[in-house]
Structure formats: structure tokens, C-alpha cells
Amino acid sequence: MRLLSLLLLILLAACSGGERSAPRPRRDGLPPASRPAPPPAETAACLADLQGLGVRFNPLPDRRFAGQCTALGAVQLLDIGLPVTNLGAMTCPVARTFTQWVKNGIQPAAREILGTEIVRLESMGTYSCRTIAGSARLSEHALANAVDIAVFVMADGRRVSVLNGWAGASAEEREFLAVVHRSACRRFRTVLGPDYNAAHRDHLHMDMGRGPFCR
Ligand SMILES: [Zn+2]
């Protein structure tokens, strides 16, 4: 009899334990962050990939902030071969995909199309606890799962910006931006640029959330 009640207790404990980790609806009506923390093995494999790409980075401790914002399985990129302004916490999958895009996507595109090299990238940030503009849904930036790139600075001194170059006067800069956008779409889950909406007229938004979506 005692054994039976002990078993029952264990079962109950297991059930309530499971319930505790389920997302709860927020009182202010915002949807809960729908993604759980990545399995540790997945993060470990991603960190090994980053190491294999020859970048310098610091793994960051998991952080949970107010308003369902999180930075889980995230890293701080320190050196990916060229300076990138404004990089904060990024989930490892975003950091890995971003590094591959820079090394294998946009740098070769700059050489082929513009005959020069990218020497600096200007970003508009990574982690930011906010909702999507005009929506109550959390942005992928609130999960450290996105990066925004605004300007590509070239070795020959050119500054190719999404704002001025996307539909600008230079045909080769337009081609370059179209190619790096397409290259991002092949790698990230969601990519948004000037053709998506006015909020993206001055940068390419790239994330590893829902998708595939490319515009
Ligand atoms: Zn963005």
C-alpha cells in the first residue's frame, strides 16, 4: 500500500513538473515565446561548427528577460574575418549562418560583381526585446535569433547601403544587393528587405525563426 502511494506521488510529481515548463499565456495578451531552449547537444554541435569556420566567439550563458525575451544557446561573435558593427547576442544558428553568408556568399559576390572586397559590415543589431513593427508578436530579435545588415563597406572606399543602393543609380550595386539578398534566402529561414515593406527599406533582416520566407 505504501509502495503504491509512493508510486502515485512520483507520477504526480512528474506530471506537475511537465506542466511547469509549458508556456503560459501572458496577461497583457502577447503570445508566449513558442520556442523552447535548444537541446544542449544541438548547441554543442553548432559551437563546434563555429569553431570549424575559424571565427573567434564567446559562448554566452542562457538569459531570460522580462516580456518573454530570451537569449538561449547564444554567442558573442568577436572576429569573423572582418569587423561588423553592433553585433550583440546571437543564437548559435544565426551566428553560424551569418558567418557562412559572409565568407561564402557576400564576399565572393563583392569580388565577382564589384571587383573589390568587403572590409566592414554595418549592422543594425541582433538581440533586442521588441515586437514586430505593427504587431503584438515578438520579433525574432527578441529571441536573439536575427541580424539586420544595413551597409557593406568596400576596400575601394565604396559604401554600398541597402537604403541608397537597392533601387539606386548603380546597376552593379543593385545587382550586388540582389545577389546577397538571394544568398541570404538560401541560408536563413526568413529574409526581409526593401521589397517587403517600408520598415525594411534600409536593411536586410535575416533570422532563423519561422520560414522559409524570402522577400
Ligand atoms: Zn531585423
Side-chain angles (χ1 to χ4, degrees):
M1 191 61 204
R2 271 184 73 186
L3 188 67
L4 194 69
S5 49
L6 190 67
L7 269 174
L8 199 67
L9 263 177
I10 291 168
L11 269 174
L12 278 171
C15 287
S16 63
E19 219 150 290
R20 245 201 315 273
S21 62
R24 263 181 231 147
R26 288 168 54 87
R27 259 179 301 171
D28 60 9
L30 286 179
S34 52
R35 246 156 292 138
E42 211 171 90
T43 299
C46 181
L47 296 178
D49 288 347
L50 264 189
Q51 224 137 28
L53 286 165
V55 306
R56 283 203 312 123
F57 64 95
N58 280 336
L60 299 174
D62 284 350
R63 300 288 307 274
R64 291 178 186 276
F65 305 93
Q68 304 279 353
C69 294
T70 58
L72 306 173
V75 302
Q76 174 78 50
L77 287 179
L78 300 175
D79 183 1
I80 65 165
L82 77 177
V84 187
T85 61
N86 264 319
L87 287 188
M90 306 162 93
T91 62
C92 186
V94 168
R96 176 175 57 189
T97 307
F98 176 69
T99 302
Q100 290 165 334
W101 178 67
V102 171
K103 285 179 181 286
N104 308 324
I106 70 175
Q107 196 60 280
R111 287 191 203 107
E112 271 171 46
I113 300 165
L114 303 176
T116 184
E117 295 224 333
I118 302 163
V119 291
R120 191 173 83 239
L121 290 172
E122 295 178 9
S123 100
M124 289 170 66
T126 53
Y127 173 78
S128 172
C129 189
R130 64 173 191 249
T131 56
I132 297 167
S135 153
R137 233 178 69 194
L138 273 186
S139 162
E140 290 295 326
H141 288 283
L143 308 175
N145 205 29
V147 56
D148 293 335
I149 294 296
V151 179
F152 305 78
V153 182
M154 304 297 166
D156 63 8
R158 266 185 285 184
R159 280 173 59 85
V160 181
S161 72
V162 175
L163 180 64
N164 297 319
W166 186 262
S170 162
E172 62 176 16
E173 289 183 13
R174 286 200 309 273
E175 187 193 348
F176 169 74
L177 289 171
V179 165
V180 301
H181 178 271
R182 245 194 334 269
S183 169
C185 288
R186 281 198 298 271
R187 300 162 191 274
F188 290 89
R189 297 286 295 154
T190 289
V191 176
L192 308 173
D195 289 348
Y196 179 60
N197 65 13
H200 295 85
R201 69 189 176 283
D202 60 355
H203 67 277
L204 301 179
H205 165 97
M206 300 170 278
D207 74 54
M208 290 301 278
R210 296 170 185 84
F213 188 84
C214 165
R215 193 169 302 161

